[in-house]
C-alpha cells in the first residue's frame, strides 16, 4: 500500500513550489518508474485553497482530520505562513518530527518552521538569513546552522528558498528514498536544463 505524503496548502500558496514534487511522488521519478507514495492535500478547512496564480484545490483533509499513518508533510510556501491562521499547522509539524517523518518547508514555509523553533538544531536554509531572522523572531536561534544554499536536507527536515523548487524536490526525493540516486539526479537535470535524457537499460 502506498504511503501518503501530505501537501499543506494555505490560501495564496505558491503554485510552482510543489509542482515538481507531487508528480514525482505520485507517478514515479521518471516515466515507467514505480511509485511508493500518494499525494494528499491538506488545508485549514475543506474549502478550496486558492493559489497565488488562481488555481483552486479542494483539500483531501482539513487540518483536524488527518490520518495518523501519513509518511511526511510538505509545506508549500506563500504569504499565508506569516499569518496567525498558520498556527493551526504547528501540531502537525510537531507530530511529524516526533515520529521521524519528513517535514519539508519552502520559502515562507521555512520561515514558519523557524518561527516555531523547528530549525534551531538542524542545518537549514530559507529566503536569506536576514529575512529568516526578521520574520521568524525570537524563537529562531539557529543562525549557526543556516546554510546559504538553494535547498538543505538534514535528517528528515528539508528547507529551500522560494526560487529553488527543483532543488527542494530533489532533496525531498532523497529524504523519502523515492528512487535510486541515479534516477533522482537524472530527473533533476532534465527539469533544470530542459534536455531529455533517454532511459538506460538497467
Amino acid at each position: 500500500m502506498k504511503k501518503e505524503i501530505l501537501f499543506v496548502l494555505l490560501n495564496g500558496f505558491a503554485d510552482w513550489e510543489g509542482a515538481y514534487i507531487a508528480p514525482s511522488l505520485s507517478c514515479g521519478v521518471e516515466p515507467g518508474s514505480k511509485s511508493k507514495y500518494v499525494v494528499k492535500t491538506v488545508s485549514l478547512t475543506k474549502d478550496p485553497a486558492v493559489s497565488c496564480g488562481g488555481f483552486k484545490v479542494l483539500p483531501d483533509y482539513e487540518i483536524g482530520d488527518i490520518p495518523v499513518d501519513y509518511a511526511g508533510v510538505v509545506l508549500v510556501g506563500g504569504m499565508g505562513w506569516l499569518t496567525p491562521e498558520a498556527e493551526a499547522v504547528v501540531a502537525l509539524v510537531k507530530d511529524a518530527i516526533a515520529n521521524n517523518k519528513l517535514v519539508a518547508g519552502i520559502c515562507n514555509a521555512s520561515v514558519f518552521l523557524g518561527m516555531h523553533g523547528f530549525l534551531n538544531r538542524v542545518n537549514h536554509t530559507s529566503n536569506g538569513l536576514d529575512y529568516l531572522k526578521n520574520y521568524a523572531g525570537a524563537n529562531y536561534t539557529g543562525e549557526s546552522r543556516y546554510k546559504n544554499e538553494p535547498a538543505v536536507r538534514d535528517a528528515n527536515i528539508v528547507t529551500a528558498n522560494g526560487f529553488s523548487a527543483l532543488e527542494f524536490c530533489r532533496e525531498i526525493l532523497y529524504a523519502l528514498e523515492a528512487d535510486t540516486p541515479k534516477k533522482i539526479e537524472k530527473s533533476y537535470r532534465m527539469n533544470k536544463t530542459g534536455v531529455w535524457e533517454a532511459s538506460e537499460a538497467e
Side-chain angles (χ1 to χ4, degrees), residues 31-66:
S33 295
K34 291 183 179 180
S35 169
K36 304 176 186 178
Y37 300 99
V38 60
V39 168
K40 296 291 184 177
T41 53
V42 179
S43 195
L44 303 184
T45 70
K46 290 298 288 288
D47 294 330
V50 183
S51 75
C52 64
F55 282 97
K56 292 182 180 180
V57 176
L58 186 63
D60 294 297
Y61 304 119
E62 61 180 291
I63 197 67
D65 187 31
I66 295 172

Side-chain angles (χ1 to χ4, degrees), residues 150-161:
V152 173
R153 170 170 43 102
D154 191 345
N156 291 326
I157 296 183
V158 176
T159 50
N161 71 55

Side-chain angles (χ1 to χ4, degrees), residues 65-139:
D65 187 31
I66 295 172
V68 298
D69 57 349
Y70 66 92
V73 177
V74 177
L75 310 180
V76 179
M79 297 307 293
W81 293 105
L82 305 181
T83 67
E85 288 78 12
E87 298 296 309
V89 184
V90 172
L92 173 60
V93 174
K94 285 182 177 178
D95 178 77
I97 291 174
N99 289 286
N100 296 312
K101 299 178 181 182
L102 170 76
V103 173
I106 183 171
C107 195
N108 282 331
S110 67
V111 176
F112 170 82
L113 294 175
M115 194 181 298
H116 295 283
F118 297 124
L119 302 181
N120 292 338
R121 295 180 178 85
V122 296
N123 294 333
H124 59 276
T125 192
S126 186
N127 295 338
L129 180 57
D130 288 342
Y131 185 94
L132 177 58
K133 289 168 63 178
N134 182 51
Y135 285 99
N139 285 336

